[in-house]
């Protein structure tokens, strides 16, 4: 807080509302949280196809990609994950201000970190989607071979094995990827967004 003592927020002349009107849809965050291999990236990209094909302004922020650039100085300790999520929350807020729909696909294992991101947004702008999948199923999928490495002790602080995942009590949406297909998962999310008149 000390660092921002003499910094004053500058209002934008072209407002978020003007951009939303011009884009002809709302801007908000679909925050996909869950274990590695649960299906966050797959569903985020399937949503992106839907939005792209239907002329919506949307973009995916994905853990792996953000960690190769903006957050390349961060690891997987609780403090580093917290800072990772804080920065991604702020980037998501900029996208929403710019009139875009954001799909943020991050493990984001701590309830408090997710709540802090939620608090950056207005009511209804932050949609938490818990991508629910058992550890056993995620481990069986193991799309990047990371669980195998973690079990061999080659990957410290691995979520679900040697690092915790805290389940939210009331996310807006729960998607069980060991029950639904990718298409059914996308439909469930889109139906929620339409029912809440965000698009
Ligand atoms: N120790 C450890 N624990 C969990 N994940 C690990 C780890 N090391 C590397 N990876 C890879 O990093 C991706 C998760 O990055 P996130 O930014 O989503 O993590 S977090 O939200 O800060 O917890 C994660 O991507 P997903 O599998 O898509 O979840 C992994 O590819
Ligand atoms: N219903 C489903 N939803 C999402 N992914 C699924 C589903 N069923 C099987 N999968 C597979 O599970 C894996 C999930 O990997 P990924 O999307 O990278 O997960 P995460 O981003 O959570 O690590 C992919 O190989 C995907 O094809």
């Amino acid at each position: 807080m000390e660092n921002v003592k003499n910094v004053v927020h500058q209002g934008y002349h072209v407002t978020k509302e003007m951009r939303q009107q011009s884009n002809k849809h709302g801007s908000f965050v679909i925050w996909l949280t869950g274990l590695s291999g649960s299906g966050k990236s797959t569903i985020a990209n399937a949503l992106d196809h839907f939005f792209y094909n239907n002329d919506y302004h949307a973009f995916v922020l994905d853990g792996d990609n953000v960690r190769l650039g903006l957050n390349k100085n961060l690891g997987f300790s609780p403090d580093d994950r917290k800072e990772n999520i804080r920065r991604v929350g702020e980037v998501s807020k900029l996208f929403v201000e710019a009139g875009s729909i954001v799909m943020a696909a991050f493990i984001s294992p701590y309830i408090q970190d997710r709540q802090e991101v939620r608090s950056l947004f207005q009511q209804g702008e932050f949609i938490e989607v818990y991508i629910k999948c058992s550890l056993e199923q995620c481990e069986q999928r193991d799309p990047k071979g990371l669980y195998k490495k973690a079990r061999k002790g080659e990957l410290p602080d691995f979520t679900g094995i040697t690092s915790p995942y805290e389940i939210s009590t009331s996310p807006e949406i729960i998607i069980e990827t060991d029950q639904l297909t990718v298409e059914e998962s996308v439909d469930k999310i889109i139906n929620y967004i339409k029912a809440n008149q965000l698009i």
Side-chain angles (χ1 to χ4, degrees):
M1 278 302 165
E2 189 61 19
N3 294 340
V4 295
K5 205 167 65 181
N6 296 309
V7 180
V8 179
H9 180 259
Q10 301 294 302
Y12 295 117
H13 294 203
V14 178
T15 64
K16 177 172 71 178
E17 290 70 25
M18 288 159 72
R19 293 179 198 279
Q20 290 174 342
Q21 260 183 4
S22 162
N23 290 346
K24 300 186 177 59
H25 60 81
S27 58
F28 51 90
V29 184
I30 303 171
W31 189 275
L32 306 150
T33 171
L35 293 173
S36 178
S38 58
K40 303 180 298 295
S41 303
T42 303
I43 294 171
N45 281 292
L47 283 166
D48 208 18
H49 270 295
F50 169 87
F51 288 129
Y52 180 77
N53 290 338
N54 291 284
D55 291 332
Y56 292 97
H57 297 70
F59 195 68
V60 176
L61 297 174
D62 190 278
D64 281 309
N65 295 350
V66 172
R67 280 176 170 281
L68 287 169
L70 176 68
N71 289 350
K72 64 165 119 182
N73 61 329
L74 299 176
F76 291 90
S77 67
D79 277 354
D80 278 8
R81 289 185 199 247
K82 186 181 188 63
E83 177 60 9
N84 180 40
I85 298 309
R86 187 193 70 78
R87 288 184 200 170
V88 173
E90 293 289 352
V91 171
S92 300
K93 191 173 174 175
L94 293 175
F95 270 87
V96 169
E97 198 70 40
S100 272
I101 299 165
V102 182
M103 283 75 70
F106 293 81
I107 297 177
S108 45
Y110 297 112
I111 289 174
Q112 193 191 337
D113 297 348
R114 297 196 295 268
Q115 277 172 347
E116 280 171 21
V117 175
R118 180 185 289 276
S119 73
L120 297 174
F121 294 93
Q122 290 173 8
Q123 183 79 23
E125 273 183 351
F126 180 85
I127 303 160
E128 185 175 331
V129 184
Y130 174 36
I131 306 298
K132 183 177 178 186
C133 186
S134 68
L135 179 63
E136 292 68 33
Q137 177 71 39
C138 290
E139 196 162 357
Q140 211 173 323
R141 290 178 182 166
D142 205 5
K144 299 175 213 153
L146 298 177
Y147 283 96
K148 210 171 191 178
K149 275 195 192 164
R151 288 291 184 196
K152 282 201 270 179
E154 292 169 8
L155 203 49
D157 299 326
F158 194 74
T159 308
I161 311 285
T162 43
S163 188
Y165 180 84
E166 299 174 359
I167 299 170
S168 290
T169 50
S170 51
E172 277 74 8
I173 306 174
I174 299 176
I175 300 285
E176 299 190 49
T177 63
D178 41 12
Q179 310 280 331
L180 299 182
T181 64
V182 177
E183 292 70 29
E184 289 167 341
S185 306
V186 168
D187 283 349
K188 189 169 174 182
I189 296 169
I190 297 298
N191 287 341
Y192 175 93
I193 289 165
K194 286 185 175 164
N196 285 274
Q197 284 150 13
L198 291 162
I199 59 171

